[in-house]
Amino acid sequence: MGLQPLPTAIEGLLYRSRIVNRIGPLHMFLLVERARLANQAEGITGQLIYLDHSFMEYLEGPTAALDALWRNLRQDPRHYDVELLARFPLAQRRCASWPLMFSSNSYFQQYQMTGFSTVQPGDMDALLEDCLSRQQAAVAGQSSALVEHLERRGERSQRLSDNPVYKIEGIAGLSTARIDAVDFPLVAPAPSAR
């Protein structure tokens, strides 16, 4: 009986940004198709929402692949004000069947893009709330796991906020928490064209 490979941990990541130049339907189609190919090669799935000259993108996939993609997205000159809104571990994918779904206003519907759905302004807020609640649940799970671990070691008084691995901060006045890894060297494959 041989060793069974460990399943790859997957995470969810949500960010938003503003675009530098208005994007027409042909440019958007090419952007989405290239991203789908790159995502498929890396085991990433998700949804891109384009509304009011802004992107909100939810991505899910292996941690190393998301690290590499996140680095590329932050350096992409086609958008600015790139802001990480949430990042959290996942037990299962939300967008398992699509390397990248695309959602925007009904204007794009006339171009019959595969994987397209119309979106309303409130849909971005709903996606944000969903991701933040998943993230908060993950933080709560990590916090209780740390407390259990510390209790077993007899260090019950140490708090999660004292842990140098995590930094917890509020997001734009919301009562939820955001958790970001601090000072981890990232090792990832060479950036793929996106």
Side-chain angles (χ1 to χ4, degrees), residues 123-140:
D123 293 346
M124 284 182 158
D125 293 335
L127 178 60
L128 175 61
E129 286 178 32
D130 179 59
C131 288
L132 288 174
S133 66
R134 289 172 182 245
Q135 178 176 268
Q136 188 173 25
V139 169

Side-chain angles (χ1 to χ4, degrees), residues 13-16 70 82-87 171 178 180:
L13 182 150
L14 179 71
Y15 78 91
R16 71 176 156 214
W70 178 237
V82 181
E83 179 184 8
L84 178 66
L85 300 173
R87 187 159 184 180
I171 299 179
R178 180 166 108 191
D180 295 314

Side-chain angles (χ1 to χ4, degrees), residues 12-78:
L13 182 150
L14 179 71
Y15 78 91
R16 71 176 156 214
S17 65
R18 305 274 306 153
I19 62 167
V20 172
N21 297 308
R22 188 179 177 138
I23 297 178
L26 178 60
H27 187 191
M28 183 58 76
F29 177 79
L30 292 173
L31 184 144
V32 169
E33 286 304 310
R34 286 180 185 149
R36 284 177 176 164
L37 290 172
N39 286 359
Q40 193 166 19
E42 298 296 329
I44 295 173
T45 56
Q47 179 182 16
L48 175 66
I49 299 174
Y50 173 60
L51 199 60
D52 298 328
H53 308 291
S54 294
F55 284 127
M56 180 176 275
E57 188 169 21
Y58 169 74
L59 299 162
E60 54 195 17
T63 301
L66 284 183
D67 288 341
L69 179 54
W70 178 237
R71 268 195 310 275
N72 290 341
L73 288 167
R74 288 185 310 193
Q75 296 171 4
D76 190 326
R78 295 174 289 189

